[in-house]
Amino acid sequence: MTPYDAPLKQDRPTQDALVDGFGRTVSYLRVSVTDRCDLRCVYCMAEHMVFLPKAEILTLEELERIASAFVGLGTRKLRITGGEPLMRKGLMDLLGKLSRHLDSGALEEITLTTNGTRLTEFAGRLAEVGVRRINVSLDTLKPDLFRKLTRGGDVAKVLAGIAAAQAAGLRVKINAVALKDDNAAEIPDLIRWAHGQGCDMTLIETMPMGEIEADRTDQYLSLTRLRAELESFWTLTDLSVSTGGPARYVEVAETGGKLGFITPLSHNFCEACNRVRLTCTGTLHTCLGQEDASDLRAVIRAGASDAQLVDAIRLAVDAKPKGHDFRIARASAPAVARHMSTTGG
Ligand code: SAM
Ligand code: SF4
């Protein structure tokens, strides 16, 4: 039995909105458009990754079809991610097509998470297709450390990319993974720099996703501890803004900027979760930290109608797990086998 000829659930909401079995409305879709990347961040990928064969990757038309089905079901926010999304050939065409949902008012925004290395080339086009803000991942400003953390990357390219994005009118938020022995001491400087550029900043704890060479207990830095340290010399004021997502924001009085903390390990954030993730192979994950998966590629490649695709999406969302329980213990296996670059961070 394929997911789309399963019996309809009697208690399914009749309205358009996508509501899961715990009553949470799903209004945010993150789409990974490729598993490939020009960097190899130590916490994200193994040094020698085996990438997927092209036939397994959704075509641009398939990506557009599934994303549009979500928009029809009340998705208001779309985030394009990867791998490195700007490595995907034809991405600007896909975004151009999806922007019709911005024009119609069905979508509030299309955003992008990128490592920034190709922004000098694409920032102008992103602005043209209606992207207004992007997240750029940047864990350090130090060229040597950047090269080490990304296994070969050039931080100058990212900095030029951020400048190009701002020149094109895009709002940029900086995301940094907090890593115990690598960038921990630099984080206050990174925050000061980001805020000085007019960028908000978010700190992320390392999550146990996918096998990598390093032991994650060596990388993990609790943001609760980091926050306490920042508070020893800065005034942090909690902000009530919530994106429905995992970040908790504060304002830093001394820099005048906003700082977010994403703490999947030290705090769980599942009760307000409004998001699901589509991988570049068409697998829908309704929880970042669980192995649940629905194969939407199989559904559409078997010739499903739009109504059958909608049914498959509803079934998957209905079964969204209540939450995850990430733990990092020495020598333990990752909580989920897939890498963040497959799921899309
Ligand atoms: N390549 C793009 C980038 O780096 O922004 C988009 C994809 S990347 C997988 C999305 C985000 O996930 C990045 O901010 C990255 O730092 C974060 N990330 C990757 N692996 C992670 C892990 N194991 N724990 C926490 N964050 C991770
Ligand atoms: Fe590539 Fe982003 Fe993963 Fe770094 S975090 S390896 S840039 S996908």
Side-chain angles (χ1 to χ4, degrees), residues 37 41 43-44 81-85 113-115 135-137 139 175-177 204-209 216 340-341 344-345:
C37 188
C41 300
Y43 47 79
C44 177
T81 178
E84 175 44 42
T113 299
T114 173
N115 64 26
N135 289 355
V136 178
S137 304
D139 303 327
N175 282 348
V177 176
I204 311 171
E205 286 175 341
T206 49
M207 294 176 235
M209 301 189 60
R216 290 184 201 273
M340 188 71 104
S341 53

Side-chain angles (χ1 to χ4, degrees), residues 37-114:
C37 188
D38 53 336
L39 302 180
R40 295 285 182 281
C41 300
V42 289
Y43 47 79
C44 177
M45 291 197 179
E47 187 157 13
H48 302 287
M49 290 288 287
V50 180
F51 293 110
L52 296 161
K54 205 172 161 212
E56 291 195 21
I57 308 284
L58 293 182
T59 63
L60 295 174
E61 291 72 25
E62 289 171 330
L63 282 164
E64 192 210 338
R65 183 175 175 204
I66 297 178
S68 296
F70 271 92
V71 174
L73 287 167
T75 288
R76 300 283 295 149
K77 187 170 163 185
L78 209 56
R79 178 173 293 280
I80 306 296
T81 178
E84 175 44 42
L86 295 178
M87 297 279 287
R88 177 72 197 248
K89 233 171 130 194
L91 178 69
M92 295 304 140
D93 298 333
L94 173 66
L95 293 177
K97 289 195 171 130
L98 289 172
S99 69
R100 71 177 189 279
H101 300 303
L102 292 172
D103 298 338
S104 73
L107 262 186
E108 241 164 61
E109 59 173 358
I110 302 178
T111 57
L112 183 86
T113 299
T114 173

Side-chain angles (χ1 to χ4, degrees), residues 303-324:
S305 66
D306 287 347
Q308 286 170 322
L309 174 59
V310 161
D311 256 3
I313 292 172
R314 282 199 186 281
L315 270 178
V317 168
D318 191 45
K320 181 172 159 72
K322 188 169 181 195
H324 64 70

